[in-house]
Amino acid sequence: MRSFSQFSVVDWSGATGPRQKGIAIAICGPGSTAPTLVRPDHIWSRHDVLDWLHHDMPRDTLVGFDLSPGLPFADAGAFFPGWARSPIDARSLWALVDNLCTDDPNLAASRFVDHPEASRYFRRHGGRTGDRFGMGQGRLRVVEHRQRACNLAPYSCFNLVGAAQVGKSSLTAMRMLHRLGREIPIWPFDPAPERGSLIVEIYTSLAARAAGIRKGLSKLRDARALDAALTKLGCEPHMPLRHYTDHATDAILTSAWLRTVAHEDHLWSPDGLADVALTEGWTFGVT
């Protein structure tokens, strides 16, 4: 795999409101220096992140987003089986979500999950489970089944209930990705370019496991624990933060992890990727 000059991670958020305390961005260059937060005292909006990608992110950056850019497709041959408007690929899905949510401020996706047809596929608050949600915990992507085989605990993006749900953040991210257009390639929906930046989906728990953090203890909220994890990744101690949140430490630790594994060719061509590359996508680092 080609080299990158910078490695960044965006800890994304699907929370309501104009600004989200759950968004954090970390970045680092080659070597062993610890990643630093971008605008550490800033409370980001989702539009801020889009603007940073467009205008301020350094060139040749490999940037990971902690979200799902796709929905399950392979299990049923469609994102929304039985709905005539079900898109044929991920980029069409992003366009559908953004178009149906035009009147939602802050890149929110409320109108999509409340849409008379789309809502039938989601589990929402108030005991509202759509008749096409499916059984159990909900449908999973191929890569999410692979994650479970690796003792990780992914949630279905069709589940919008609970503190660990990822559906809201993923749907809001689809709006952002649609508006980003083709300016920055997004793997694996686009091939990795010979030069320039590239976006990948990441899972912060992968970085935590690589740093020796046991399952259930992945959230770091103090300087000592963060430095201990960074050391496991061959990284120098970080610059002290004014506030320690799991969003900030997730971004810092996962940026360091991304730098250590980005050159590993086998991570860019896992078994099964070709079948879902344009629909479901893939979490970088899962094999």
Side-chain angles (χ1 to χ4, degrees):
M1 182 58 185
R2 52 157 286 204
S3 60
F4 293 89
S5 63
Q6 301 287 320
F7 304 87
S8 180
V9 162
V10 179
D11 199 41
W12 187 255
S13 173
T16 58
R19 296 191 175 274
Q20 287 75 40
K21 292 183 178 180
I23 294 178
I25 303 178
I27 194 166
C28 61
S32 60
T33 302
T36 57
L37 292 180
V38 178
R39 305 178 199 170
D41 297 321
H42 183 64
I43 301 178
W44 293 83
S45 71
R46 287 186 280 267
H47 282 290
D48 286 343
V49 177
L50 183 58
D51 185 71
W52 181 77
L53 291 169
H54 273 300
H55 304 296
D56 297 327
M57 185 176 71
R59 298 185 62 184
D60 297 319
T61 296
L62 178 62
V63 53
F65 274 80
D66 184 21
L67 49 84
S68 171
L71 294 175
F73 186 100
D75 62 339
F79 295 119
F80 307 105
W83 185 18
R85 295 186 66 180
S86 185
I88 61 172
D89 57 29
R91 285 194 175 273
S92 300
L93 172 64
W94 306 342
L96 176 66
V97 174
D98 195 36
N99 290 337
L100 289 181
C101 297
T102 301
D103 294 330
D104 273 342
N106 312 312
L107 295 180
S110 300
R111 282 174 171 78
F112 186 77
V113 297
D114 290 335
H115 184 275
E117 287 296 325
S119 63
R120 299 177 66 185
Y121 299 85
F122 290 92
R123 174 178 287 157
R124 297 178 290 163
H125 289 283
R128 297 173 297 168
T129 299
D131 63 306
R132 290 178 171 169
F133 175 79
M135 302 296 292
Q137 297 179 345
R139 297 165 60 199
L140 295 174
R141 297 183 296 156
V142 170
V143 72
E144 290 160 352
H145 285 291
R146 195 75 58 85
Q147 290 168 14
R148 288 196 170 183
C150 296
N151 202 30
L152 297 171
Y155 274 67
S156 170
C157 285
F158 287 113
N159 174 35
L160 306 179
V161 180
Q165 63 83 22
V166 295
K168 294 177 182 177
S169 61
S170 296
L171 291 170
T172 58
M174 291 175 193
R175 297 194 64 190
M176 180 271 295
L177 294 174
H178 177 63
R179 296 185 179 210
L180 188 63
R182 301 277 181 174
E183 181 171 333
I184 302 175
I186 304 166
W187 181 87
F189 312 103
D190 305 307
E194 294 183 0
R195 61 181 60 87
S197 297
L198 177 67
I199 292 172
V200 296
E201 171 196 351
I202 53 89
Y203 191 174
T204 58
S205 291
L206 280 175
R209 299 296 178 274
I213 301 171
R214 299 195 310 273
K215 185 176 181 179
L217 301 175
S218 299
K219 300 305 180 183
L220 307 176
R221 296 184 176 90
D222 64 79
R224 181 177 297 181
L226 176 57
D227 276 341
L230 288 171
T231 298
K232 291 282 190 178
L233 299 177
C235 199
E236 299 170 12
H238 72 287
M239 293 181 60
L241 307 179
R242 184 176 301 180
H243 303 289
Y244 284 85
T245 68
D246 55 334
H247 309 294
T249 59
D250 275 353
I252 290 172
L253 184 65
T254 311
S255 294
W257 168 82
L258 190 60
R259 176 175 61 191
T260 68
V261 300
H263 67 283
E264 298 183 15
D265 289 340
H266 73 284
L267 298 182
W268 296 96
S269 54
D271 290 341
L273 172 62
D275 295 331
V276 295
L278 299 182
T279 52
E280 297 187 356
W282 200 268
T283 309
F284 181 74
V286 175
T287 58

